[in-house]
């Protein structure tokens, strides 16, 4: 039986996959059960940061930790492929459709806007979604026809926001658990998870996601759609009486906005992330998905921000995932209220997106807590953070990195766990 809460951050390259294992005491029965909560599982679709080979050791380890017991709760934070495609991929490619039977998942939380009838109930959000998808299709066609216009990160952004591929993964996740719940800040959580002692609280998103859609900039892509669906790129000529130089400068200026529009599409999904806290025996842990500034400001407005001891850093440590100022101070105040040590973890992979890792964000986090990242552990399958029962001990969180993948077989043969520690009796 575990005597500490453990957060295992899997190295899925550029993506998220976390397994939280919690000794959960039932005061009515006097029994303590180790419950497991799995978050996301996915990575990007382009470059080294999106290698699918990482998912087999992740799922093998998850199933080994469950040891035949059901997975208690799965959380899909938001609808981006670097968070949702791992289980879908593993079930189809590795388990031949048998993963659901192996996981025996009891409850699943999906972000509210993933509900099949969500947009029927929220017409304003539907308008925003339709506009976003139409813009996405235009941008995809534009870069297909003019690939030289795509900057380095554009292919990754296009793939990660592909609503068709994401939709297939989300449809799979809807049917994975015995009970699926679509959660938001005001959603009642009773009956949506089996935890007795541990307390879960959803900080975001709002039920109506229309407020997360930012401004889209007008673009002049020059696309011509012909009967039958053929699309071509047309360079318009200046109208009569209009200075040609000024006209083409205007076109160039408006086309420069395509990158901003792609970012706005990406932000809208990030800001629908489930942000939730887990409180256990004096510790408060915060799992922030990919929430960006607009979501954090909404959380502040509704007064849900609290000091935490652990932070799963939002959006892979990017500059827009961890706001500065009073929001940062609210969750990681300069002086911890109870004097306990604090820690944070970033799951990312260098060279996938410009600005990640973001050194100023890392420095800001290190000024308040210890920071662990998967960036320096490319060959290790996971890293663990453990939180002892503060009623029994005042020990700070313990950090343990797994052994590199290449050494795993040899260590396992000598009676070690995947993490390199001796098996407990």
């Amino acid at each position: 039986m575990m005597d500490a809460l453990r957060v295992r951050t899997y190295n899925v390259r550029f993506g998220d996959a976390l397994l939280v294992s919690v000794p959960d005491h039932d005061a009515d029965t006097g029994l303590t059960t180790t419950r497991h909560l799995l978050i996301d599982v996915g990575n990007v679709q382009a470059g080294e940061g999106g290698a699918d080979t990482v998912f087999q050791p992740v799922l093998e380890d998850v199933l080994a930790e469950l040891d035949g017991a059901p997975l208690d709760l799965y959380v899909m934070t938001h609808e981006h492929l670097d968070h949702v495609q791992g289980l879908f991929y593993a079930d189809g490619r590795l388990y031949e459709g048998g993963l659901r039977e192996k996981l025996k998942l009891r409850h699943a939380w999906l972000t509210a806007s993933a509900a099949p009838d969500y947009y029927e109930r929220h017409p304003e959000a539907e308008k925003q979604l339709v506009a976003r998808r139409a813009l996405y299709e235009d941008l995809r066609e534009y870069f297909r026809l003019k690939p030289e216009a795509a900057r380095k990160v554009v292919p990754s952004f296009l793939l990660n926001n592909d609503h068709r591929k994401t939709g297939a993964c989300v449809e799979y996740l809807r049917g994975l658990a015995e009970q699926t719940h679509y959660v938001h800040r005001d959603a009642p959580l009773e009956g949506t998870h089996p935890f007795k002692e541990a307390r879960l609280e959803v900080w975001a998103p709002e039920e109506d996601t229309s407020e997360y859609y930012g401004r889209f900039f007008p673009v002049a892509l020059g696309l011509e759609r012909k009967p039958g669906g053929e699309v071509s790129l047309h360079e318009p000529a200046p109208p009569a009486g209009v200075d040609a130089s000024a006209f083409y400068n205007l076109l160039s200026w408006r086309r420069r906005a395509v990158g901003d529009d792609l970012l706005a599409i990406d932000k809208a999904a990030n800001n629908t992330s489930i942000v939730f806290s887990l409180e256990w025996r004096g510790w408060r842990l915060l799992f922030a998905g990919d929430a960006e500034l607009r979501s954090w400001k909404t959380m502040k407005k509704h007064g849900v921000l609290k000091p935490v001891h652990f932070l799963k850093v939002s959006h892979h440590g990017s500059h827009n995932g961890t706001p500065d100022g009073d929001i940062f101070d609210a969750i990681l105040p300069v002086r911890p209220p109870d004097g306990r040590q604090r820690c944070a973890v970033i799951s990312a992979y260098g060279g996938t997106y410009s600005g990640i890792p973001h050194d100023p964000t890392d420095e800001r986090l290190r000024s308040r807590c210890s920071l662990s990242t998967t960036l320096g552990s490319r060959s290790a399958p996971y890293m663990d953070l453990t939180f002892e029962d503060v009623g029994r001990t005042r020990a700070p969180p313990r950090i343990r990195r797994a052994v590199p993948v290449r050494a795993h077989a040899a260590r396992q043969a000598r009676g070690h766990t995947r993490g390199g520690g001796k098996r407990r009796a």
Side-chain angles (χ1 to χ4, degrees), residues 115-134:
D117 63 345
Y118 176 82
Y119 292 102
E120 296 174 15
R121 295 182 284 109
H122 296 86
E124 186 56 38
E126 182 183 30
K127 290 178 187 177
Q128 298 280 4
L129 178 73
V130 169
R132 183 183 75 174
R133 287 186 174 176

Side-chain angles (χ1 to χ4, degrees), residues 39-293:
I39 302 171
D40 286 335
V41 186
N43 60 20
V44 295
Q45 298 291 287
E48 292 184 4
D52 288 333
T53 52
V54 299
F55 295 126
Q56 183 166 356
V58 168
L59 268 297
E60 286 178 353
D61 188 76
V62 168
L63 293 171
E65 289 297 320
L66 293 176
D67 194 24
L71 177 61
D72 294 287
L73 177 63
Y74 168 76
V75 178
M76 183 203 83
T77 59
H78 64 293
E79 298 177 80
H80 264 160
L81 284 171
D82 61 335
H83 291 255
V84 303
Q85 61 101 359
L87 297 182
F88 179 66
Y89 167 87
D91 199 1
R93 299 287 185 89
L94 305 175
Y95 293 96
E96 299 179 342
L99 184 58
R100 185 178 190 275
E101 183 179 349
K102 290 180 178 294
L103 288 175
K104 294 178 282 193
L105 176 60
R106 299 177 64 185
H107 295 270
W109 286 5
L110 276 60
T111 187
S113 55
D117 63 345
Y118 176 82
Y119 292 102
E120 296 174 15
R121 295 182 284 109
H122 296 86
E124 186 56 38
E126 182 183 30
K127 290 178 187 177
Q128 298 280 4
L129 178 73
V130 169
R132 183 183 75 174
R133 287 186 174 176
L135 178 59
Y136 171 86
E137 293 299 330
D138 284 348
L139 293 174
R140 189 178 69 163
E141 289 294 341
Y142 175 72
F143 288 118
R144 181 182 66 83
L145 295 167
K146 196 172 182 178
E148 67 274 14
R151 292 178 295 178
K152 183 179 178 181
V153 299
V154 165
S156 293
F157 271 114
L158 286 172
L159 288 168
N160 204 41
N161 287 277
D162 187 328
H163 56 88
R164 295 179 186 84
K165 290 183 178 179
T166 303
C169 296
V170 173
E171 181 63 28
Y172 166 79
L173 295 173
R174 286 188 186 118
L176 193 59
E178 293 175 10
Q179 298 182 57
T180 301
H181 316 277
Y182 301 94
V183 304
H184 53 84
R185 183 177 60 83
D186 291 325
L189 299 183
E190 185 177 356
T192 68
H193 63 80
F195 289 92
K196 302 294 184 182
E197 177 187 11
R199 181 170 176 265
L200 280 67
E201 184 178 280
V202 173
W203 295 11
E206 297 300 297
E207 182 178 12
D208 184 358
T209 60
S210 61
E211 67 176 85
Y212 296 130
Y213 288 87
R215 179 186 173 192
F216 295 119
F217 296 90
V219 292
L221 299 177
L223 296 176
E224 280 192 353
R225 299 185 182 275
K226 300 177 181 178
E230 182 183 351
V231 182
S232 61
L233 194 59
H234 170 67
E235 190 72 20
V242 174
D243 179 76
S245 177
F247 177 79
Y248 288 117
N249 283 338
L250 176 62
L251 283 183
S252 176
W253 177 80
R254 291 183 69 179
R255 285 177 181 172
R256 283 201 296 269
V258 297
D260 294 325
D261 282 341
L262 203 48
L263 281 172
I265 291 170
D266 193 68
K267 287 175 183 286
N270 285 337
N271 281 322
T272 66
S273 288
I274 295 175
V275 178
F276 72 99
S277 64
L278 187 155
E279 296 184 34
W280 178 84
R281 302 182 190 177
W283 297 103
R284 181 181 292 126
L285 291 73
L286 183 62
F287 302 89
D290 274 3
E292 295 194 32
L293 182 58

Side-chain angles (χ1 to χ4, degrees), residues 328-346:
F328 187 64
D329 291 339
I331 58 174
L332 290 172
V334 175
R335 292 188 177 134
D338 52 15
R340 288 188 221 118
Q341 290 192 22
R342 301 170 295 184
C343 55
V345 66
I346 293 175

Side-chain angles (χ1 to χ4, degrees), residues 291 296 311-325 328 331-332 344-348 354-373 375:
W296 285 109
L311 175 65
K312 198 295 293 184
V313 179
S314 177
H315 204 209
H316 315 285
S318 70
H319 73 282
N320 49 20
T322 307
D324 204 348
F328 187 64
I331 58 174
L332 290 172
V345 66
I346 293 175
S347 179
S354 61
I356 298 177
H358 187 248
D359 291 339
T361 296
D362 290 358
E363 291 170 8
R364 194 152 43 88
L365 287 163
R366 287 192 176 100
S367 73
R368 305 288 173 91
C369 64
S370 64
L371 176 64
S372 302
T373 81
L375 287 163

